[in-house]
Amino acid sequence: MTDSKSVVQHRTATVNGRKVFYREAGDPAAPAVVLLHGFPASSHMFRNLIPELADRYHVIAPDHMGYGFSDAPPVDEFEYSFENLTTITLELLDQLGLQKFALYIQDYGAPIGLRIASRNPDRVTALLVQSGSNSQDLWMKDLLGGFRLV
């Protein structure tokens, strides 16, 4: 029998006038983990991981703008910068009411997640990094001021 909280829900939210698709599973009262995908993937890459985590965590996996089922506005209407992608992602997390969350960041999701962590160290409970790169304008010393590497 499948626990209803481990069923992956496909949802959308409007953030800054744009449709953002995300996958959600688990109990909203459980600790949250946010999965940020890489290039050229989407949240679909986490389709097997989400149900595995959902029995212990509230899992959110958004599609970045231009990927998966999120809006893909033309470049003359939206600047596809890590800064803008960070703004969209953080506003989604705020809309969802996530006060504290762990970030799993992979590849393209790393510069987005690291920006979120650097601006909100009190909200980020953990950073899980897989093949994450860091853009040159972010420095690990500044980013990890509130974190301890283990």
Side-chain angles (χ1 to χ4, degrees), residues 10-125:
H10 297 162
R11 303 186 188 279
T12 59
T14 301
V15 178
N16 294 343
R18 306 286 182 194
K19 181 183 80 171
V20 178
F21 174 88
Y22 63 98
R23 295 166 199 270
E24 180 176 24
D27 183 350
V33 61
V34 177
L35 310 175
L36 299 180
H37 69 81
F39 173 84
S42 69
S43 63
H44 185 259
M45 73 178 277
F46 300 119
R47 68 192 173 281
N48 295 323
L49 178 60
I50 294 170
E52 294 294 323
L53 296 174
D55 64 335
R56 296 176 308 276
Y57 301 98
H58 179 209
V59 184
I60 303 292
D63 285 350
H64 302 307
M65 294 297 297
Y67 294 85
F69 297 111
S70 286
D71 279 350
V75 295
D76 60 341
E77 294 178 19
F78 182 83
E79 181 184 349
Y80 286 91
S81 66
F82 287 124
E83 188 60 38
N84 283 342
L85 296 172
T86 299
T87 298
I88 295 283
T89 303
L90 193 51
E91 294 218 10
L92 172 68
L93 300 179
D94 289 345
Q95 278 187 28
L96 297 176
L98 297 182
Q99 295 303 310
K100 294 208 176 268
F101 47 87
L103 287 169
Y104 171 95
I105 55 179
Q106 191 268 333
D107 184 60
Y108 201 78
I112 298 165
L114 292 173
R115 279 177 172 79
I116 290 170
S118 71
R119 294 172 192 166
N120 302 274
D122 56 321
R123 292 177 69 183
V124 178
T125 60

